[in-house]
């Protein structure tokens, strides 16, 4: 602890927290999850208001399906004004709690703060998702199209857009979206794996009906 305190005095606590964040990332790439968690916790021990460490620890908790931990860390990071934390917390409201109204509220708050296009994409994608679950299809389509304009390479928006178009009874327009979803989505991603199954089933049904 004396060494830790000395380092913190020499380079500043936020900078030291950044060092531990980087250390955590290297541990994660090497699949050392316990060491990853310890490094994030060290970052927070020297800088409890490190939004990055809180967000990353929340993400790590979500990776191992400790969703209570994930919600708590994302909430702390959101309170400190991190837009990405609003997006991830809202996603948990959508997936886990089915509380779409709360998710929408969080996402609008995050969009007020977001400046980075990647974060805006995530917020808009999740906003489209929440509106899809609410059955507010035209709004969902608007948000998903806005997300696609920011990043046309990520498959999640196409998987969600296909579902929106199905809800709007535009099955022909949905088919190309399902095809992109099936081709590009990653089965190692929790949400996308579910959508891959949906896309495969829907496209198989279309073949059968021809």
């Amino acid at each position: 602890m004396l060494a830790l305190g000395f380092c913190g005095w020499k380079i500043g606590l936020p900078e030291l927290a950044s060092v531990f964040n980087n250390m955590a990332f290297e541990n994660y790439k090497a699949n050392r999850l316990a060491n990853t968690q310890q490094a994030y916790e060290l970052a927070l021990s020297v800088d409890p208001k490190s939004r990055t460490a809180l967000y990353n620890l929340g993400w790590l908790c979500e990776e191992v399906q400790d969703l209570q931990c994930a919600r708590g860390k994302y909430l702390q990071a959101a309170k400190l004004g991190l837009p990405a934390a609003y997006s991830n917390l809202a996603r948990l409201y959508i997936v886990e709690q089915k509380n779409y109204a709360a998710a929408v509220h969080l996402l609008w708050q995050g969009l007020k703060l977001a400046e980075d296009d990647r974060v805006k994409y995530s917020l808009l994608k999740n906003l489209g998702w929440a509106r899809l679950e609410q059955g507010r299809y035209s709004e969902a389509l608007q948000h998903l199209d806005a997300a696609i304009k920011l990043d046309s390479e990520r498959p999640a928006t196409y998987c969600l857009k296909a579902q929106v178009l199905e809800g709007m009874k535009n099955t022909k327009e949905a088919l190309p979206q399902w095809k992109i979803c099936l081709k590009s989505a990653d089965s190692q991603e929790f949400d996308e794996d579910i959508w891959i199954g949906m896309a495969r089933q829907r496209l198989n049904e279309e073949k059968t009906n021809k």
Side-chain angles (χ1 to χ4, degrees):
M1 290 301 293
L2 283 173
L4 184 64
F6 179 74
C7 290
W9 176 75
K10 290 288 286 183
I11 65 175
L13 296 183
E15 289 80 5
L16 185 57
S18 179
V19 169
F20 286 129
N21 269 309
N22 293 335
M23 186 187 302
F25 182 65
E26 293 303 317
N27 281 320
Y28 178 77
K29 288 196 296 184
N31 203 33
R32 296 189 294 263
L33 296 187
N35 291 342
T36 303
Q37 181 175 346
Q38 288 173 358
Y40 285 139
E41 289 172 348
L42 278 171
L44 289 170
S45 72
V46 298
D47 184 6
K49 292 187 177 181
S50 171
R51 304 186 307 177
T52 302
L54 286 165
Y55 174 85
N56 288 338
L57 188 52
W59 179 82
L60 182 65
C61 289
E62 190 175 350
E63 281 285 286
V64 297
Q65 291 299 291
D66 185 351
L67 299 184
Q68 182 176 356
C69 166
R71 283 196 306 275
K73 300 307 178 186
Y74 288 148
L75 180 59
Q76 287 179 270
K79 285 180 177 178
L80 291 168
L82 188 66
Y86 280 92
S87 185
N88 283 24
L89 183 58
R91 180 193 159 276
L92 289 181
Y93 272 103
I94 294 168
V95 173
E96 185 197 5
Q97 298 187 352
K98 316 297 183 188
N99 190 340
Y100 309 122
V104 166
H105 177 76
L106 287 167
L107 293 162
W108 281 124
Q109 296 304 309
L111 280 167
K112 292 176 183 177
L113 301 171
E115 297 179 355
D116 184 272
D117 280 351
R118 291 171 299 177
V119 177
K120 288 180 183 177
Y121 166 90
S122 178
L123 289 158
L124 287 165
K125 181 263 293 182
N126 287 336
L127 189 53
W129 189 359
R131 291 306 192 198
L132 162 65
E133 299 295 348
Q134 290 178 317
R136 294 167 65 166
Y137 299 125
S138 59
E139 293 171 73
L141 198 60
Q142 178 184 350
H143 298 312
L144 293 172
D145 283 340
I148 289 170
K149 284 182 180 179
L150 291 173
D151 189 341
S152 62
E153 300 298 319
R154 296 170 72 175
T157 35
Y158 298 101
C159 300
L160 290 166
K161 188 173 179 178
Q163 295 171 63
V164 171
L165 291 168
E166 293 277 2
M168 299 173 79
K169 309 301 182 185
N170 294 336
T171 53
K172 288 185 178 180
E173 292 182 35
L175 288 175
Q177 309 300 319
W178 282 128
K179 288 177 182 177
I180 297 171
C181 177
L182 184 58
K183 180 181 178 181
S184 304
D186 185 353
S187 61
Q188 295 187 48
E189 295 290 333
F190 182 82
D191 303 325
E192 292 180 22
D193 184 55
I194 295 171
W195 297 330
I196 286 170
M198 294 170 65
R200 186 173 288 119
Q201 179 180 351
R202 183 66 188 88
L203 292 170
N204 285 339
E205 287 172 356
E206 184 65 20
K207 285 181 183 179
T208 303
N209 293 333
K210 282 186 176 180

